[in-house]
Amino acid sequence: MTVSSHIQPGNWPENPLANRGNGIVHIGVGAFHRAHQAVYTQQAMLVAGGDWRIIGVSPRSTDIADQLNAQDGAYCVVVRNPAGDECQTIHAISHVIAAARDGDAVMAALCDPATRIVTLTVTEKAYGINRHAMTIAPDHVGIAHDLADPRHPTGVLGLLTEALRRRRDAGVAPFTCLCCDNLPENGVVLRAGVTDFARHIDPALAGWIEQNVHFPSSMVDRITPASTAHTYETVRAMTGHDDTCAVETEPFSQWVIEDDFPTGRPAWEQAGVLMVDDVRPFEHMKLRMLNGSHSLIAYLGQLAGFKYVRDVMADDDCAKLVHAHMLAAAQTLVPVAALDFASYANDLVARFQNPAIAHETRQIAMDGTEKLPQRLLHPAQDALKDGKDIATYAIAIAFWMAFLHKMVTQENGNDISDPRQVEIISALSGQTTAQGIYNALSQLPDLFPQALTSSPVWAQAVISRLDCILTQSALDAVKADLS
């Protein structure tokens, strides 16, 4: 093990940002934010200064607020490197507000003129946006509540809209909204959600938001497994103190942001952030090559009994299939001079094989209906249209279908973690054949592109692989595809 030089065993190191003011409110102070955006923001302030400390908002949990506040916002990030663990103390978060018990404090932070950026990592389902129509879902629990009482919001869109309304009425410049969730064109999606929410309650406010509020898109990447007892034991051994807020992550980290911040931003580029005019090429590369492969790994791993990503990648046949999928996904991307897809694929394989990262396949397998369209289904549609190989897409979707079928038949579907759990259980009820399972799941509304559901070539490719998985095994299906 190695310990960063500024960590002093037995106590928290001196806070180098103690005299810096707050400039960012971050909604969703989960492990990923603490291992990613907060780390970049600290480094930017250490290099270039600025009042950019982060006020965290925990939408539901009060525990993380209590735990971080007890440590004055400080916590440790353990970087799991095959050559030895490293540990860094982060002070970028000044304090955390538990929204469930102190909504007024959240609104005060959002309305403070010092707050110039609001960042978010709340997962796609928390927004309640129909990405097909780019409108809000009025029946979403959080949105329905906030539409009924827009002056006392609890949901993400309601909070942003009400804070922007108050800033407009007070003559305070609006903050910039920076979505850091893993969804395509996340700034565009967030802009659509906020303006549509505002349109439901005040069309004039919606027009003001459209004209005055900026929503840059961003692409984020850093594998951050859930913290475990081993995480806390590592911190205790390396620093001499307990830290219930510690997170662990991989050495690799990437953040690409569209540079559109009219009221200022941290010098993120001096911390390694890539500030660009258009994030989409980077985003598509990551979604299709990394995230698509992650989903393939997750469902294959769950079926084959591999607990971690590294376990899947330790199997030579599985690793070959995953690498083949990365290269197939690259074939659907528009070439960009700054991006080397083959090198990126090799880097991904090395990251996934990192024996020090315990990233559970079960964790990645969650919320499949939210993730699969952009990760696998839309790329598969592009590959089919262009006459390119669809084999790895077909087996990845077959693994997903077999995984859900297994969950329903063995556990009645109760452990399926997906926003469409009820629909999935109903669709799979009584289905036992590959054909029946494929038909049931491919016909879920607004999930599969019509170009796929109407293609006999696609259907046969998935059904044949699904039949192999059901009658033999997931690993047999892998071998068959590689033969």
Side-chain angles (χ1 to χ4, degrees):
M1 289 184 177
T2 60
V3 183
S4 299
S5 60
H6 59 277
I7 301 259
Q8 300 300 318
N11 54 64
W12 289 101
E14 183 179 352
N15 182 357
L17 304 178
N19 296 322
R20 298 293 176 190
N22 301 318
I24 299 172
V25 170
H26 180 82
I27 302 175
V29 196
F32 181 77
H33 169 71
R34 303 202 302 277
H36 190 271
Q37 298 100 30
V39 176
Y40 280 109
T41 301
Q42 170 159 304
Q43 185 60 27
M45 283 189 285
L46 290 175
V47 173
D51 294 324
W52 294 109
R53 291 192 76 193
I54 300 164
I55 298 174
V57 174
S58 176
R60 293 176 298 277
S61 171
T62 58
D63 290 345
I64 189 62
D66 293 340
Q67 291 163 355
L68 272 171
N69 291 338
Q71 299 175 177
D72 293 326
Y75 62 94
C76 290
V77 175
V78 177
V79 179
R80 300 291 191 189
N81 194 309
D85 295 337
E86 297 178 1
C87 186
Q88 181 182 11
T89 303
I90 302 301
H91 298 276
I93 298 174
S94 66
H95 63 285
V96 178
I97 304 168
R101 68 181 177 214
D102 202 351
D104 289 344
V106 174
M107 192 57 61
L110 291 170
C111 293
D112 189 333
T115 298
R116 286 168 282 169
I117 300 172
V118 175
T119 55
L120 305 97
T121 49
V122 293
T123 73
E124 181 172 0
K125 58 187 173 185
Y127 293 103
I129 301 171
N130 182 331
R131 289 197 298 108
H132 299 284
M134 296 296 271
T135 56
I136 62 172
D139 58 345
H140 182 275
V141 174
I143 289 177
H145 172 275
D146 291 352
L147 287 175
D149 189 7
R151 297 295 180 264
H152 303 91
T154 59
V156 173
L157 300 184
L159 286 168
L160 295 176
T161 303
E162 174 61 9
L164 288 168
R165 183 193 71 81
R166 294 189 189 189
R167 291 176 77 109
R168 180 200 63 176
D169 293 351
V172 176
F175 45 69
T176 296
C177 297
L178 178 61
C179 180
C180 301
D181 277 299
N182 187 27
L183 44 143
E185 299 185 84
N186 51 22
V188 176
V189 173
L190 182 57
R191 176 188 177 91
V194 172
T195 53
D196 192 47
F197 183 93
R199 195 173 294 114
H200 277 70
I201 58 175
D202 183 351
L205 175 61
W208 180 84
I209 290 172
E210 287 180 327
Q211 294 177 11
N212 295 279
V213 183
H214 294 244
F215 295 84
S217 290
S218 72
M219 187 273 274
V220 298
D221 187 7
R222 196 173 204 187
I223 296 171
T224 307
S227 296
T228 65
H230 182 48
T231 311
Y232 308 130
E233 290 165 4
T234 300
V235 171
R236 190 178 302 112
M238 297 179 77
T239 69
H241 61 258
D242 294 321
D243 178 9
T244 56
C245 303
V247 294
E248 65 175 74
T249 189
E250 64 171 331
F252 180 90
S253 186
Q254 187 177 37
W255 197 6
V256 185
I257 307 174
E258 290 177 349
D259 201 356
D260 184 20
F261 296 83
T263 56
R265 61 169 177 78
W268 279 318
E269 71 279 6
Q270 295 196 42
V273 178
L274 192 57
M275 308 300 300
V276 300
D277 294 329
D278 185 358
V279 78
R280 286 175 296 180
F282 300 89
E283 178 183 83
H284 291 165
M285 179 182 71
K286 188 219 172 188
L287 280 168
R288 296 189 173 197
M289 295 183 68
L290 187 156
N291 298 127
S293 297
H294 247 175
S295 289
L296 187 162
I297 289 169
Y299 300 115
L300 167 56
Q302 284 290 289
L303 291 167
F306 293 129
K307 183 175 182 179
Y308 299 115
V309 170
R310 67 192 184 196
D311 300 333
V312 176
M313 297 302 289
D315 182 286
D316 288 342
D317 287 337
C318 293
K320 288 177 184 177
L321 178 67
V322 171
H323 188 244
H325 179 71
M326 293 173 185
L327 298 181
Q331 291 295 310
T332 70
L333 299 171
V334 176
V336 177
L339 300 176
D340 183 335
F341 298 141
S343 295
Y344 184 64
N346 291 335
D347 290 342
L348 289 179
V349 170
R351 292 171 62 192
F352 292 169
Q353 290 176 332
N354 185 344
I357 295 293
H359 199 183
E360 293 192 11
T361 55
R362 178 187 57 83
Q363 181 184 3
I364 303 167
M366 295 177 179
D367 303 330
T369 59
E370 295 284 352
K371 298 172 179 177
L372 293 188
Q374 62 267 26
R375 294 184 177 195
L376 292 169
L377 297 175
H378 293 157
Q381 174 183 245
D382 291 346
L384 185 68
K385 178 185 67 176
D386 294 338
K388 298 186 183 302
D389 190 6
I390 61 169
T392 61
Y393 295 104
I395 197 170
I397 294 302
F399 286 143
W400 171 69
M401 290 182 170
F403 165 74
L404 293 180
H405 177 257
K406 177 182 177 182
M407 296 287 281
V408 170
T409 55
Q410 293 188 4
E411 303 174 30
N412 298 318
N414 294 329
D415 288 338
I416 294 175
S417 180
D418 192 287
R420 301 180 69 168
Q421 179 199 53
V422 174
E423 290 179 76
I424 291 167
I425 295 172
S426 175
L428 290 177
S429 177
Q431 301 296 341
T432 58
T433 67
Q435 180 78 58
I437 294 167
Y438 172 82
N439 290 343
L441 292 175
S442 65
Q443 291 170 12
L444 289 174
D446 300 320
L447 182 59
F448 280 67
Q450 194 272 337
L452 293 183
T453 57
S454 64
S455 169
V457 173
W458 168 256
Q460 180 56 33
V462 177
I463 292 169
S464 62
R465 289 165 173 82
L466 180 55
D467 184 67
C468 181
I469 297 166
L470 296 176
T471 59
Q472 299 179 55
S473 72
L475 292 180
D476 285 330
V478 172
K479 293 180 184 297
D481 255 41
L482 292 176
S483 62

